[in-house]
Amino acid sequence: MTVFQDAGAPAEQAGADRSRVDLDAAIEQITQALNLAERHPLSPEQRAVLDCLLARSGGAIDGPWAGAIAAIWANPQASFLDLLTLAQLNPQQDLTGRQLLGVRLEGCDLSGANLQRVNLRGSQLCDADLSGADLAEARLAGADLSGALLSDVNLTKADLHKASLALANLSGANLSGANLSGANLSRVNFHRAIVTGAVLGHNEGLTAEDYQQLVANGAIGDLHETESGG
């Protein structure tokens, strides 16, 4: 038995909206097919792990997958990583391209994880360890990455519009082509970071000195559009 589920291919806003609709439809089908008690709305963490599980199962919800789905359903207060464990999913491999909107990941260790094209818009990642992770083309607009360990992370072409990176460690990170417009860059460690083509603008906390250094290293921006240079 299977339910229809978006494959998680790169998508623009319309595609992301469609994916949310698809997951809502899948939840309705699962509730009926497996005779599960309705627990709507599921928490952002439950929705995210269910999205990952359906991608892993190819939409199958019977056999061994039924038990994993029931475990997700029965634990509305569980953390994202605990739900992944209950569903027997690997955070290093099973999150690529998935919809993780609004998920709480404060202090979580996702170092080295493959998070390419993941949608983490509005998620909480304060003090998370993402060192060495691959976040190429990830959607992180509005996410809170304050104090996060992002050393040697791949953020090529990532969308960090209006994200908070205050006190984050981006040493050795690859930010080539990343959108940093509107991001809070207060006291960010950019040592050895690659910023070629990274877009700046309206950046709270970015000093004129740091701005000039980033532009000298290939970033794109207008000093008059930074909070410190207005």
Side-chain angles (χ1 to χ4, degrees):
M1 182 185 304
T2 61
V3 294
F4 177 75
Q5 176 64 10
D6 176 72
E12 299 299 330
Q13 181 66 40
D17 290 342
R18 185 186 66 249
S19 180
R20 285 197 293 273
V21 171
D22 293 341
L23 184 57
D24 287 336
I27 289 171
E28 293 296 336
Q29 293 178 53
I30 289 168
T31 302
Q32 297 175 14
L34 301 183
N35 295 315
L36 296 171
E38 292 190 17
R39 295 181 182 273
H40 296 294
L42 296 180
S43 71
E45 290 73 26
Q46 287 175 298
R47 289 176 62 90
V49 174
L50 183 60
D51 180 65
C52 295
L53 184 144
L54 293 175
R56 176 71 182 274
S57 72
I61 62 173
D62 50 3
W65 305 111
I69 291 171
I72 295 170
W73 233 261
N75 290 277
Q77 302 301 320
S79 71
F80 179 71
L81 292 185
D82 285 344
L83 287 170
L84 285 177
T85 299
L86 288 172
Q88 299 184 38
L89 296 174
N90 184 347
Q92 296 291 311
Q93 302 173 357
D94 292 328
L95 306 183
T96 308
R98 304 319 311 161
Q99 300 289 325
L100 310 183
L101 288 82
V103 169
R104 303 189 69 89
L105 290 165
E106 297 100 330
C108 287
D109 184 355
L110 289 171
S111 55
N114 186 345
L115 301 171
Q116 291 182 15
R117 305 185 311 279
V118 70
N119 188 347
L120 280 159
R121 294 203 316 271
S123 295
Q124 301 295 316
L125 292 144
C126 302
D127 300 318
D129 183 355
L130 293 162
S131 56
D134 189 349
L135 282 152
E137 299 183 39
R139 285 171 278 173
L140 290 151
D144 190 350
L145 291 139
S146 302
L149 179 57
L150 297 162
S151 56
D152 301 310
V153 70
N154 181 11
L155 283 162
T156 303
K157 297 183 179 179
D159 181 10
L160 290 151
H161 177 62
K162 292 188 175 180
S164 177
L165 290 158
L167 300 174
N169 183 352
L170 280 159
S171 60
N174 188 345
L175 290 151
S176 299
N179 180 9
L180 291 166
S181 63
N184 185 335
L185 301 180
S186 301
R187 300 172 64 185
V188 172
N189 180 0
F190 283 109
H191 180 62
R192 297 186 298 103
I194 300 169
V195 295
T196 306
V199 179
L200 304 172
H202 299 290
N203 298 114
E204 180 181 350
L206 182 64
T207 66
E209 181 181 358
D210 286 341
Y211 167 83
Q212 291 165 359
Q213 185 62 57
L214 290 171
V215 170
N217 289 334
I220 301 168
D222 183 343
L223 180 58
H224 298 292
E225 293 182 355
T226 66
E227 290 295 320
S228 58

